[in-house]
Amino acid sequence: MRASRAIALLLLLQNRRAMTAADLAVELEVSERTVQRDVAALAEAGVPVYAERGRGGGYRLVDGYRTRLTGLERAEAEVLHLAGLPGPLREMGLAGQALAARLKVAAVVGDAPAAAVQRFHLDAPAWFREAATPPLLPEVSRAVWEERVLHARYGSRERRLEPHGLVLKAGQWYLAARGPSGRMASYRVDRFETATVTEDRFDRDQDFDLAAYWDTSAREFARAMLRERALVRLSPLAVENLAILLEPAAAADALATAGPPDGDGWVTVTLPLESWEIGYFEILRLGPEAEVLQPSALRTRLAEATRRAAALYG
């Protein structure tokens, strides 16, 4: 039996008084058979744990027994800062440390952490979007925590990165890392094709402030992705809802270029787009509230989409 799992099982019973094998299996992410073996091992080691049968039964500790195994390890103490992010912790591969830390804190201060969890919860992903967990996130996260050089393939290039921090923005993970040039840059984790944590450590910039960096770079990063430009007429309704329907930075930049309204109240703007393909679908969301004037290829494609839609709806 792993020592960390034994401690977690013992602290679960201490904090909750009684738990079934099924409940323990869910918490520890093991099978019920494994829970039964672990409980038997604890009993053989002298821990006063017993099984109570019947309705409301389960495994219990003898009344009054309390363990002193509450010292926090470094990794457990660090993840306490992320205790309100259960989903992201699982995605980064830190759920085990988070559970152990919560249980050790609860063993000292009682039910206060549980009370906080029942009153505050942070749901990071944006509405109406299912953000898939990047498969390489645990590796990237480990490089961040252990301050190790990351060799990665991003796009078509191999890169040597010194990962300083991870940011979760509306369900999307970004890595802040220093590249060979010595400059800090942002990378979308789901776009890493490979990511290998090396044994090499790097000298972390002690003055680096992740929150401040992200605050200033996020706007630049979003605008850097908007490489294309389309000339578009917008109805008053489109203008009113542009920031809701499109990426906020793109909407703000577009509205800043708006000229005076025409006789129908429409305005002409220069709309930034990440690509023509993405722009096609974004402008489709505006429906009849937008008219693309330039480029002609995008206008032609949207006109064809409009004809097909009209045919579908008769």
Side-chain angles (χ1 to χ4, degrees), residues 11 13 19 103 112 117 161 212 278 292 307-308:
L11 292 173
L13 293 178
M19 294 184 70
L103 291 172
V117 169
L161 301 175
I278 293 175
V292 172
R307 283 191 290 271
R308 296 199 335 256

Side-chain angles (χ1 to χ4, degrees), residues 133-155:
T133 301
L136 295 174
L137 178 60
E139 288 298 294
V140 175
S141 173
R142 185 162 74 87
V144 171
W145 283 105
E146 297 179 7
E147 298 181 357
R148 295 187 183 275
V149 171
L150 188 71
H151 282 171
R153 185 174 183 82
Y154 189 82

Side-chain angles (χ1 to χ4, degrees), residues 123-130 170:
D123 186 8
W127 282 104
F128 312 120
R129 295 182 186 176
E130 281 294 330

